[in-house]
Amino acid sequence: MPIMTQIIGTGSYLPERVVTNDDLAKTVDTTDEWIRDRTGIRQRHIAAEGELTSDLAFNAANRALEAAGMVPQEIDMIIVGTTTPDHTFPATSARVQAMLNTGNGFAFDLQAVCSGFIYGLSVADNFIRMGQINTALVIGAETMSRLIDWQDRNTCVLFGDGAGAVVLRGEEVAEGEKRGVLSTHLHSNGHLYDLLHASGGPSWTQTAGHIRMQGKDVFRHAVTNLASVVDEALEANGLGYDDIDWLVPHQANQRILDGTARKLGLPKSRVVVTVAEHANTSAASVPLALDTAVRDGRIQRGQLLMMEAMGAGLTWGAGLVRF
Ligand code: COA
């Protein structure tokens, strides 16, 4: 019997401290109205001093494990999608493995910026379907606040900190039964490297750098690429827009969410939107949105979920899941 990857638990975590648009307007030339109007963002959560990406990841992972009814020792592989690791090396996932008090299996970080969770889901799904592992913890965790130039109004209003996680398990399904991860689709275009980047790195400046972005170009590519990868995922499964119960998109910006939904002809009522509450949390945003809608009862077992994201690289991808 074929093995398909099931999402058996979800979890998320946002740091306690909330920074509103009005708070930002005290230090840069911006307004609550401008930020809401152009991005839909109302506030972001910012990690406390000394609170690291691994702490956020650990909290989200614990909640996902609890929801799955599993203990860390049952996990074969841990992937942390992050662009803001605790240290340049080792991987943040190694620290999370230790925090979870498990020495089982293996752990690594995955760097695809805002697409990190979708990339992680894809990698884990392939490992599971190949039979190399049976269970995985895929986490997206970021402290984007540590890469923000707080004087740059073009970017400082857009990002926040947070983490989301899923527990995956391979289960045998009947021949022809389509339950769990149906397919994943990944893309990148390194020619667009400069559109969104950090102005530093260990090999370049020996510092982490700050976020730099050509916002209008990123916006244009986002709507086009996201709509096209959603089409690709539907076509690969012989499904149409009407089959999607929930679009669970990367939460970058309300206007990108609206633009993509409009291009796909999906009503807003079928799009999970959480960006107002936590801004763009990069790799954390898709699992954060997923967990929010699972816990508030919008997403039900058996529904068809289309998850998608685009980030720096550029990278983009989609995962279609019969939840
Ligand atoms: N407050 C007030 N004004 C601001 C501002 C802020 N926080 N940020 C930028 N502006 C100003 C600009 O300086 C510019 O002023 P100017 O005309 O005097 O030069 C003006 O607003 C318009 O800027 P523009 O870049 O044309 O705005 P926009 O409509 O494209 O909106 C973004 C800017 C960043 C919101 C938009 O481009 C965007 O959402 N891009 C995608 C960003 C994203 O999601 N990135 C992550 C993807 S993973």
Side-chain angles (χ1 to χ4, degrees):
M1 286 207 291
I3 289 174
M4 289 187 74
T5 304
Q6 310 301 321
I7 298 179
I8 58 169
T10 66
S12 60
Y13 174 78
L14 289 166
E16 240 170 70
R17 184 174 158 224
V18 169
V19 173
T20 65
N21 295 343
D22 284 333
D23 292 333
L24 288 181
K26 290 177 192 147
T27 51
V28 280
D29 183 13
T30 191
T31 59
D32 176 48
E33 194 191 353
W34 192 97
I35 301 170
R36 279 181 197 240
D37 206 48
R38 303 291 180 105
T39 71
I41 295 164
R42 290 197 295 117
Q43 60 177 42
R44 67 284 301 138
H45 292 247
I46 302 292
E49 205 183 323
E51 192 177 27
L52 306 187
T53 295
S54 57
D55 297 310
L56 276 51
F58 172 68
N59 285 321
N62 263 334
R63 289 175 185 177
L65 283 162
E66 196 186 343
M70 284 174 67
V71 293
Q73 290 69 28
E74 292 175 272
I75 297 294
D76 299 329
M77 176 175 83
I78 301 171
I79 300 178
V80 176
T82 188
T83 198
T84 47
D86 291 8
H87 293 93
T88 303
F89 76 86
T92 297
S93 54
R95 176 166 264 181
V96 172
Q97 186 188 30
M99 292 165 96
L100 289 169
N101 198 20
T102 171
N104 283 12
F106 56 100
F108 61 95
D109 285 3
L110 193 155
Q111 163 61 297
V113 202
C114 299
S115 310
F117 176 77
I118 299 290
Y119 268 58
L121 179 72
S122 182
V123 170
D125 176 45
N126 278 285
F127 266 95
I128 289 171
R129 278 189 298 107
M130 287 300 288
Q132 192 164 342
I133 61 166
N134 183 241
T135 55
L137 187 54
V138 179
I139 308 167
E142 303 279 17
T143 45
M144 295 305 280
S145 60
R146 310 270 152 79
L147 287 181
I148 286 173
D149 171 355
W150 293 100
Q151 303 308 314
D152 177 12
R153 69 175 182 175
N154 292 295
T155 54
C156 76
V157 303
L158 299 177
F159 296 92
D161 301 338
V166 294
V167 176
L168 304 175
R169 185 170 62 205
E171 288 178 9
E172 286 188 340
V173 296
E175 203 65 53
E177 188 186 352
K178 297 283 181 201
R179 181 165 59 81
V181 179
L182 304 187
S183 65
T184 57
H185 305 264
L186 304 183
H187 295 274
S188 66
N189 181 356
H191 296 291
L192 301 171
Y193 193 90
D194 290 334
L195 283 190
L196 177 53
H197 66 276
S199 59
S203 173
W204 181 21
T205 60
Q206 296 84 59
T207 60
H210 290 122
I211 298 170
R212 301 288 178 235
M213 180 179 68
Q214 296 171 38
K216 268 195 197 314
D217 288 331
V218 172
F219 191 102
R220 199 165 41 83
H221 284 290
V223 174
T224 311
N225 292 340
L226 291 172
S228 118
V229 78
V230 166
D231 281 344
E232 181 186 335
L234 286 173
E235 200 179 318
N237 292 281
L239 296 166
Y241 302 136
D242 289 346
D243 295 309
I244 300 175
D245 291 300
W246 291 104
L247 183 69
V248 189
H250 171 45
Q251 309 285 321
N253 179 315
Q254 186 67 51
R255 280 159 64 221
I256 295 179
L257 298 179
D258 292 345
T260 311
R262 206 168 31 243
K263 220 171 160 114
L264 298 171
L266 278 182
K268 283 184 182 176
S269 57
R270 283 198 273 148
V271 183
V272 177
V273 178
T274 56
V275 67
E277 307 307 315
H278 53 64
N280 182 348
T281 57
S282 186
S285 94
V286 173
L288 252 168
L290 175 69
D291 184 52
T292 302
V294 167
R295 282 175 195 263
D296 70 21
R298 269 179 288 174
I299 291 179
Q300 298 286 322
R301 286 285 165 196
Q303 289 186 327
L304 190 70
L305 314 182
M306 175 70 78
M307 298 187 262
E308 44 87 329
M310 193 202 80
L314 294 180
T315 56
W316 65 101
L320 190 58
V321 176
R322 176 68 66 190
F323 188 68

